[in-house]
Amino acid sequence: MTPLEYCKQKTAESGSSFTLSFIFLPKAKREAMTALYAFCREVDDVVDECTDYQVAQTKLNWWKTEIQRLFLKQAQHPVTKALTPIVQQYQLAEEHFQEIIDGMEMDLKFNRYEDFKQLQLYCYRVASVVGLLSAQIFGFQHRKTLKYAHDLGMAFQLTNIIRDVGEDARRGRIYLPLDELAKAGVTEEDILQGHETEAVKTLMAFQIERAETFYDKALNELPKEDTKQQRTGLMMAAIYRTLLREIKAEPEKVLNHKTSLPPFRKFRLALHTYFKYA
């Protein structure tokens, strides 16, 4: 198996909505995004699959060193071997890859977030940074496009957090800011036990509204001359925002039910967006 074949397999196994939009990219950019996404999956899997803190920390430390080797053209892992020509071709920064790992490290150290400022740092590292790297691969003319990529990454991660509240709670995690729970009159126990109360409904409606704000900010920031090149991100936005609006109808249900869109509907949304910005 070549490094690229390994990345394709790793990406396919994830079943993520993100990968659907990759098929609309030219071959070189599709392969670059596949390698980037495979890297994200590798470091994310460390946190998801390692129950021993010390083992997980050791693995993340190995990845930090491996990223240094990547930028010295001494990569050892199939994913970083696939990334070797890509980081040079698209001028991707080493610090961004290290920040993604720092974000995964936060998942090892925290299972609660005191306020949105703390959560925002996590979202920046695990999602906005990926958005910045992706925007560079897609291509852009205007520097403002990076601001769009940052805020769209925030919107995506907030959507993920909202969708996965119940699933995360069953793993002992609460990403919703604790000060916002208190303000809404929601206890940690309400989240962990899946209590679909009016207070939870109010709390989740507030989380959805904030995510919507980040989608609006991102789309308003994207310069018109870069919309065609950034279509892949816009396809993802169409899918994720539709998902968010499905949740909005009964937001308290996220505690016990994971909302998803059928594959055909996701493909239709992606196709519509592709032609809208053609």
Side-chain angles (χ1 to χ4, degrees):
M1 186 182 288
T2 66
L4 182 60
E5 286 168 345
Y6 177 93
C7 292
K8 286 178 178 177
Q9 181 176 305
K10 188 75 181 177
T11 301
E13 286 170 358
S14 74
S16 170
S17 299
F18 283 104
T19 58
L20 171 67
S21 57
F22 295 175
I23 62 175
F24 294 92
L25 286 166
K27 184 173 181 287
K29 292 185 179 184
R30 183 169 66 249
E31 291 177 352
M33 283 302 299
T34 299
L36 173 61
Y37 191 79
F39 164 73
C40 294
R41 292 299 339 145
E42 287 288 346
V43 291
D44 191 43
D45 286 350
V46 170
V47 178
D48 286 347
E49 295 172 6
C50 289
T51 52
D52 185 296
Y53 171 86
Q54 215 51 55
V55 171
Q57 186 63 68
T58 300
K59 287 188 174 187
L60 289 182
N61 288 341
W62 183 88
W63 274 106
K64 289 180 181 181
T65 304
E66 178 65 0
I67 291 301
Q68 292 173 350
R69 285 193 289 262
L70 162 62
F71 282 84
L72 293 171
K73 298 183 181 178
Q74 297 169 4
Q76 296 178 4
H77 194 278
V79 168
T80 38
K81 285 180 179 178
L83 282 169
T84 298
I86 291 162
V87 296
Q88 187 172 1
Q89 182 180 355
Y90 297 102
Q91 298 180 303
L92 306 182
E94 179 181 347
E95 67 187 76
H96 283 155
F97 287 91
Q98 296 290 5
E99 281 187 293
I100 293 169
I101 300 172
D102 288 341
M104 301 306 168
E105 207 166 34
M106 288 179 76
D107 266 333
L108 287 186
K109 295 177 179 177
F110 306 106
N111 61 11
R112 301 288 189 278
Y113 288 85
E114 294 298 325
D115 52 34
F116 184 64
K117 184 178 180 182
Q118 191 183 29
L119 180 65
Q120 196 166 13
L121 175 61
Y122 171 75
C123 292
Y124 168 74
R125 287 173 168 171
V126 301
S128 290
V129 170
V130 179
L132 295 172
L133 290 168
S134 300
Q136 285 184 250
I137 291 171
F138 300 150
F140 63 92
Q141 309 299 320
H142 201 296
R143 293 289 299 176
K144 202 176 175 185
T145 295
L146 293 177
K147 180 62 178 160
Y148 144 84
H150 171 282
D151 287 338
L152 192 60
M154 287 293 301
F156 288 156
Q157 190 59 28
L158 292 174
T159 303
N160 280 338
I161 287 169
I162 291 163
R163 179 195 63 193
D164 296 341
V165 167
E167 190 175 284
D168 289 329
R170 288 185 283 278
R171 294 160 68 185
R173 293 184 172 277
I174 299 176
Y175 286 95
L176 306 177
L178 295 183
D179 64 340
E180 294 174 7
L181 264 72
K183 188 176 178 181
V186 176
T187 66
E188 289 185 35
E189 204 61 21
D190 287 329
I191 302 297
L192 296 173
Q193 297 300 321
H195 298 155
E196 295 177 12
T197 64
E198 276 300 311
V200 167
K201 185 174 183 178
T202 300
L203 172 69
M204 295 314 303
F206 176 76
Q207 305 301 317
I208 291 167
E209 190 59 39
R210 178 163 52 209
E212 288 272 26
T213 300
F214 274 101
Y215 281 111
D216 287 338
K217 277 178 66 180
L219 296 175
N220 288 334
E221 286 159 347
L222 180 59
K224 192 174 181 180
E225 61 264 38
D226 285 342
T227 53
K228 188 171 182 178
Q229 285 178 289
Q230 296 294 320
R231 272 186 305 193
T232 303
L234 293 168
M235 286 182 227
M236 296 176 194
I239 293 167
Y240 265 64
R241 199 167 195 180
T242 300
L243 175 70
L244 187 67
R245 287 171 175 172
E246 290 277 314
I247 295 169
K248 193 174 184 176
E250 294 180 295
E252 72 280 10
K253 297 293 184 188
V254 293
L255 293 185
N256 298 295
H257 171 74
K258 185 168 180 174
T259 304
S260 61
L261 301 179
F264 177 73
R265 190 174 178 194
K266 289 191 283 190
F267 183 75
R268 195 173 62 193
L269 285 164
L271 200 62
H272 173 76
T273 307
Y274 179 85
F275 286 112
K276 180 180 177 180
Y277 296 105

